[in-house]
Amino acid sequence: GFFQSHAVEVDIKDSSNATCLYANWMMSFLITYESNTGDYKTTTLNLSSSVTHNGSVCGNDTQAAVVAVQFGEGHSWSINSTKNNETYQGDFITFTYNTNDTAVFPDAKRKGPVTIVVRDPSPPVQLDSVYVCHSSVFIEAENVTQIFWNVTVQSFVQNGTVSKKESRCSADTPTSAPTVLPTVANVTTVSTTTLSPAPTTAPKPVENPDTGNYSLKMGNKTCLLATVGLQLNVSQDKPLLININPKTTVADGACGNTTATLKLNDGNSTLISF
């Protein structure tokens, strides 16, 4: 899936008007809910252009720092962080969505706010560092997939200035290119011999994706089976082809009376929902 959302920036000041907590990030939510007809549907909830941050607090040695935002028709999200002598770390993420928002949940059977609490999977960060993660991160719990990207956050900011020292997430770490050993083909030599033009190498054709077998269960009964090879063709400045690898892809979802939702997460920032 490809998600469009607004960036959120929270800059909390202490009593001396110095920054004590800073966060800038983007997020979106995939939510599976039951409709009035008993079907299960999956909807996307994005941040609106108007976001408030009531309830955000600086935190100290004995009190957690909190980033809290409210958006749309009764939706809210927050994360609390604690510190020790050398590091700070996110503890719990609390997300509340309101099915009374008919623009997002036009036919929800259950009405009112629903709250999901999950543990933050991010690692500890040094107190003098800012945590940065440009890659997409997926957190799934209770029929909700939370998606985060372009994250910059520092709790317990020292001296009122966000650090320039970055602690990057593992997904942002580039993979080293393999070393190319010299061969006859790529070593330049001096010669008086007239060489014929090298033959043009044909572009390597894109391989077909491997076929995967995916299934969902309701209790001890299988309610959905899918045998399929998947390839994404992303139209952008430079077209991008992505083959979904069944060996690293996790299937999730839900079955209703007349519909079923299959969610595939390839563990590499790609999430597809059928």
Side-chain angles (χ1 to χ4, degrees), residues 55-256:
S56 297
V57 296
C58 294
N60 51 41
D61 292 340
T62 59
Q63 181 184 11
V66 179
V67 176
V69 295
Q70 303 81 39
F71 59 98
E73 300 296 326
H75 313 297
S76 63
W77 182 92
S78 67
I79 181 172
N80 67 303
S81 303
T82 55
K83 72 170 181 174
N84 59 28
N85 293 332
E86 299 179 352
T87 64
Y88 64 92
Q89 184 175 19
D91 287 334
F92 292 97
I93 295 172
T94 303
F95 170 53
T96 298
Y97 61 93
N98 186 4
T99 57
N100 288 326
D101 184 351
T102 55
V104 182
F105 307 96
D107 54 352
K109 181 177 180 179
R110 176 180 177 179
K111 298 296 185 181
V114 181
T115 298
I116 307 295
V117 179
V118 295
R119 183 173 289 277
D120 179 18
S122 303
V125 181
Q126 293 293 320
L127 282 173
D128 61 346
S129 299
V130 58
Y131 177 74
V132 177
C133 191
H134 296 303
S135 302
S136 297
V137 175
F138 301 87
I139 301 176
E140 296 188 49
E142 300 183 40
N143 293 333
V144 175
T145 300
Q146 304 183 51
I147 307 149
F148 307 92
W149 68 101
N150 289 346
V151 175
T152 299
V153 60
Q154 185 176 4
S155 301
F156 309 102
V157 175
Q158 301 175 350
N159 303 319
T161 303
V162 177
S163 177
K164 296 185 181 300
K165 181 181 177 182
E166 294 184 354
S167 175
R168 299 295 289 267
C169 64
S170 58
D172 280 0
T173 304
T175 303
S176 300
T179 302
V180 179
L181 299 177
T183 65
V184 174
N186 61 21
V187 174
T188 302
T189 60
V190 178
S191 174
T192 58
T193 304
T194 302
L195 301 178
S196 301
T200 302
T201 302
K204 183 180 178 180
V206 178
E207 297 178 355
N208 290 329
D210 293 334
T211 300
N213 296 302
Y214 310 103
S215 64
L216 297 178
K217 289 183 177 293
M218 289 187 65
N220 59 358
K221 293 184 178 180
T222 300
C223 61
L224 183 149
L225 286 172
T227 301
V228 61
L230 291 171
Q231 181 181 88
L232 303 183
N233 188 335
V234 185
S235 300
Q236 52 186 20
D237 293 338
K238 184 179 180 180
L240 176 65
L241 290 178
I242 303 172
N243 281 348
I244 302 303
N245 183 359
K247 295 180 180 179
T248 59
T249 298
V250 177
D252 193 7
C255 295

Side-chain angles (χ1 to χ4, degrees), residues 258-272:
T258 59
T259 63
T261 299
L262 174 66
K263 295 189 292 185
L264 300 179
N265 186 344
D266 77 341
N268 191 30
S269 303
T270 304
L271 179 70
I272 306 173

Side-chain angles (χ1 to χ4, degrees), residues 14-79:
D14 60 18
S15 57
S16 62
N17 201 35
T19 296
C20 61
L21 186 156
Y22 178 81
N24 190 313
W25 76 102
M26 299 186 75
M27 64 181 174
S28 183
F29 307 91
L30 282 178
I31 303 170
T32 301
Y33 68 97
E34 186 178 5
S35 70
N36 289 324
T37 59
D39 301 335
Y40 283 87
K41 299 182 178 181
T42 298
T43 187
T44 301
L45 174 61
N46 293 319
L47 266 66
S48 60
S49 58
S50 177
V51 177
T52 58
H53 52 81
N54 300 323
S56 297
V57 296
C58 294
N60 51 41
D61 292 340
T62 59
Q63 181 184 11
V66 179
V67 176
V69 295
Q70 303 81 39
F71 59 98
E73 300 296 326
H75 313 297
S76 63
W77 182 92
S78 67
I79 181 172

